[in-house]
């Protein structure tokens, strides 16, 4: 018995693995096929032309080349090329810049965050933007639901699958919300959970990019045994997923079965349009096109995982970059900071709210602070509309006009953020009198 190893591009889920394996096993000389990530180990007897292997994989809708076939799998590179990675990353960053300038929306703020301040509309938008993760990780499950069912059912079955998925999200959100009514999520636990979810997303991205080869759960193995697309959706909604778990944990913080179910329902509905379209259109994708979609999703998930890890640290009050910058500075080094003005027994600091955040400020330690934020109605967004700082004991929702926040800081450097822990700024409380002399 002989063996050949084949690198296959375009694999990003359990259904893909099964499709490639069954296609190769159907070849007459083939005795067994084992899949290790995107490498197929083909055991065969007699003759098995490389051309036949390549054509079979391409006919199944995936990408390979004659030079990707070897009798030694160490000769096969499965990582994304650095140039390709950088080009995709640059494209994502450019798209984000265009959307932020034109529409005022940052795609890196789409990782689920729920608390009492979020609007139902933002929950829906969060689902829409997060659905790129769903497409990258499990969009091809619609292929399994529609496979061999004829043209008349290629839309019906993906619809049933998505209905089952949304129902599963909603019921889970209600149960988690009910638990939250008797269990309070504090900042420490919330930050730890976000970090854990970020690590899961990072692991998924590195695995999809071929940098790591970890054994991730074959989420589609169980689902593919069911012929009922609605049941497949329900089961898929219960499978481990980084963003979904983050949503469930924030539904926990809602503290209500109704709010938990509503938040998960709206998030789920938001993921449907792209999932449904891609599930149907992916039937027409093959070869290089399938690989291209997979590459984009992989890089975006990597970026979002880094953003989520940053948010977890922010929630825990950790800002390594800000701490290093502050420790490197001294008196007179606060360029760009708003310096508090002294008024007898209290001090006052004022600034305008912007889409990108608040302001870095310097105040006198031990003296009561009146921080006034001027908010124009056009500058208020779903992200910056509320801010918090657990260390200084304040949390406030902003409205159009002047917003007053009062606190008395001890000496030190404190980070305050939006309610999503995405936008962050610094409050420096110091005893250095000379900093305030110019405003005396």
């Amino acid at each position: 018995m002989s063996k050949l190893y084949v690198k296959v591009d375009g694999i990003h889920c359990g259904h893909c693995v099964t499709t490639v394996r069954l296609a190769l096993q159907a070849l007459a000389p083939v005795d067994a096929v084992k899949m290790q990530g995107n490498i197929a180990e083909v055991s065969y007897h007699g003759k098995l032309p490389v051309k036949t292997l390549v054509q079979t994989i391409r006919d199944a809708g995936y990408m390979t080349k004659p030079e990707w076939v070897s009798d030694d799998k160490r000769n096969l590179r499965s990582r994304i090329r650095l140039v390709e990675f950088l080009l995709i990353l640059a494209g994502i960053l450019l798209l984000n810049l265009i959307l932020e300038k034109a529409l005022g929306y940052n795609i890196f703020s789409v990782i689920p965050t729920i608390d009492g301040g979020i609007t139902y509309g933002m929950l829906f938008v969060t689902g829409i933007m997060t659905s790129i993760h769903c497409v990258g990780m499990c969009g091809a499950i619609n292929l399994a639901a529609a496979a061999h069912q004829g043209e008349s059912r290629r839309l019906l079955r993906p619809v049933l699958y998505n209905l089952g998925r949304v129902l599963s999200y909603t019921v889970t959100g209600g149960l988690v919300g009910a638990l939250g009514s008797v269990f309070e999520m504090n900042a420490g636990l919330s930050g730890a959970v976000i970090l854990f979810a970020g690590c899961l997303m990072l692991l998924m991205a590195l695995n999809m990019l071929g940098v790591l080869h970890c054994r991730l759960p074959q989420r589609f193995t169980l689902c593919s045994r069911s012929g009922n697309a609605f049941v497949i959706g329900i089961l898929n909604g219960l499978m481990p997923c980084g963003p979904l778990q983050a949503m469930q944990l924030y539904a926990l913080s809602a503290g209500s079965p109704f709010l938990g179910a509503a938040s998960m329902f709206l998030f789920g509905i938001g993921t449907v349009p792209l999932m449904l379209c891609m599930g149907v259109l992916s039937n027409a994708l093959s070869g290089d096109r399938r690989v291209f979609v997979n590459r984009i999703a992989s890089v975006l998930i990597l970026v979002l995982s880094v953003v989520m890890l940053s948010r977890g640290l922010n929630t825990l009050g950790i800002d390594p970059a800000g701490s290093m910058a502050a420790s490197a500075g001294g008196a007179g080094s606060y360029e760009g900071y708003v310096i508090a003005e002294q008024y007898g027994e209290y001090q006052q600091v004022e600034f305008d709210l912007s889409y990108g955040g608040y302001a870095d400020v310097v105040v006198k330690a031990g003296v009561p602070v009146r921080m006034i934020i001027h908010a124009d109605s056009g500058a208020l967004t779903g992200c910056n509309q509320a801010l918090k700082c657990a260390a200084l004991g304040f949390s406030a929702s902003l409205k159009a006009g002047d917003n007053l926040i009062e606190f008395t800081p001890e000496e030190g450097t404190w980070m305050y953020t939006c309610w999503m822990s995405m936008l962050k700024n610094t409050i420096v409380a110091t005893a250095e009198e000379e900093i305030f002399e110019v405003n005396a």
Side-chain angles (χ1 to χ4, degrees):
M1 183 179 296
S2 304
K3 286 186 179 180
L4 283 175
Y5 298 91
V6 188
K7 187 179 80 169
V8 184
D9 250 340
I11 289 180
H12 56 275
C13 70
H15 172 68
C16 298
V17 170
T18 301
T19 300
V20 173
R21 180 172 54 81
L22 292 179
L24 292 175
Q25 283 182 343
L27 296 175
V30 174
D31 295 310
V33 178
K34 295 181 180 179
M35 298 296 298
Q36 301 175 3
N38 68 335
I39 304 295
E41 178 186 311
V42 183
S43 302
Y44 66 98
H45 61 276
K47 294 183 178 181
L48 181 58
V50 171
K51 182 178 179 180
T52 301
L53 274 176
V54 172
Q55 192 60 47
T56 299
I57 291 172
R58 289 180 175 177
D59 289 344
Y62 298 86
M63 183 63 187
T64 191
K65 302 176 182 179
E67 55 267 34
W68 292 359
V69 181
S70 174
D71 57 2
D72 187 350
K73 68 177 180 180
R74 291 175 298 181
N75 296 331
L76 302 177
R77 295 185 61 193
S78 58
R79 297 182 181 181
I80 185 173
R81 292 177 299 172
L82 178 61
V83 173
E84 185 180 14
F85 173 81
L86 293 176
L87 287 175
I88 293 175
L89 179 61
I92 291 172
L93 295 176
L94 178 61
L95 175 62
N96 181 64
L97 179 62
I98 293 173
L99 288 176
E100 185 171 346
K101 296 298 183 182
L103 303 177
Y105 195 82
N106 189 318
I107 63 174
F108 299 143
S109 301
V110 304
I111 297 176
T113 308
I114 302 175
D115 71 1
I118 194 169
T119 65
Y120 288 131
M122 282 301 296
L123 282 170
F124 178 73
V125 170
T126 297
I128 291 177
M129 299 303 293
T130 308
S131 59
I132 187 64
H133 170 83
C134 303
V135 169
M137 295 303 295
C138 56
I141 197 169
N142 285 340
L143 283 172
H148 309 299
Q149 297 295 330
E151 293 295 330
S152 62
R153 304 200 68 186
R154 288 190 181 273
L155 178 60
L156 175 62
R157 291 178 66 82
V159 168
L160 290 175
Y161 159 73
N162 280 282
L163 286 175
R165 191 168 56 87
V166 172
L167 176 62
S168 180
Y169 288 1
T170 304
V171 173
T172 302
L175 294 175
V176 170
L179 178 61
S181 64
V182 295
F183 180 82
E184 183 178 357
M185 177 77 77
N186 58 40
L189 181 57
S190 177
V193 166
I194 296 174
L195 285 175
F196 177 72
C199 289
L200 285 180
M201 289 184 67
L202 179 62
L203 183 62
M204 291 176 186
L206 294 177
N207 203 62
M208 292 173 67
L209 291 169
V211 177
L212 296 178
H213 295 285
C214 304
R215 288 183 173 270
L216 295 179
Q218 293 293 327
R219 63 162 60 203
F220 302 126
T221 301
L222 174 63
C223 294
S224 62
R225 296 176 183 172
S226 172
N228 190 314
F230 185 70
V231 173
I232 293 175
I234 291 176
L235 293 175
N236 188 238
L238 299 175
M239 295 294 176
C241 166
L244 180 58
Q245 288 176 334
M247 284 295 299
Q248 291 167 346
L249 287 162
Y250 278 105
L252 174 71
S253 68
S256 161
F258 174 77
L259 292 178
S263 62
M264 289 295 292
F265 171 76
L266 288 167
F267 170 75
I269 288 294
T271 67
V272 168
L274 186 56
M275 274 289 287
L276 185 60
C277 290
M278 289 301 296
V280 175
L281 294 177
S282 60
N283 289 316
L285 294 178
S286 62
D288 290 335
R289 293 178 181 178
R290 185 188 296 271
V291 172
F292 183 65
V293 171
N294 185 46
R295 291 289 196 238
I296 293 175
S298 303
V299 176
L300 183 55
I301 292 170
L302 176 65
V303 174
L304 293 178
S305 70
V306 173
V307 174
M308 178 172 273
L309 290 172
S310 175
R311 291 180 60 191
L313 292 174
N314 290 346
T315 302
L316 294 173
I318 301 172
D319 181 19
S323 298
M324 289 187 291
S327 62
S333 63
Y334 299 110
E335 182 178 355
Y337 281 65
V338 179
I339 309 297
E341 297 185 21
Q342 307 301 306
Y343 293 93
E345 296 181 352
Y346 72 92
Q347 54 188 323
Q348 185 167 301
V349 59
E350 302 182 45
F351 57 84
D352 295 327
L353 178 69
S354 70
Y355 170 80
Y358 312 105
D360 297 320
V361 303
V362 179
V363 298
K364 185 178 295 185
V367 178
V369 176
R370 293 167 54 91
M371 186 164 70
I372 300 177
I373 302 177
H374 307 293
D376 184 87
S377 58
L380 283 169
T381 70
C383 185
N384 67 15
Q385 66 182 358
L387 70 162
K388 62 182 180 180
C389 179
L392 295 179
F394 68 78
S395 176
S397 296
L398 304 181
K399 63 181 186 302
D402 293 341
N403 299 269
L404 174 63
I405 299 173
E406 297 181 294
F407 57 92
T408 302
E410 297 179 359
E411 187 169 3
T413 299
W414 317 97
M415 179 175 62
Y416 70 110
T417 72
C418 67
W419 63 273
M420 296 177 68
S421 297
M422 275 296 301
L423 307 176
K424 59 181 180 180
N425 289 91
T426 303
I427 296 174
V428 177
T430 178
E432 300 176 21
E433 296 286 346
E434 60 271 22
I435 295 177
F436 306 99
E437 289 178 357
V438 67
N439 289 332

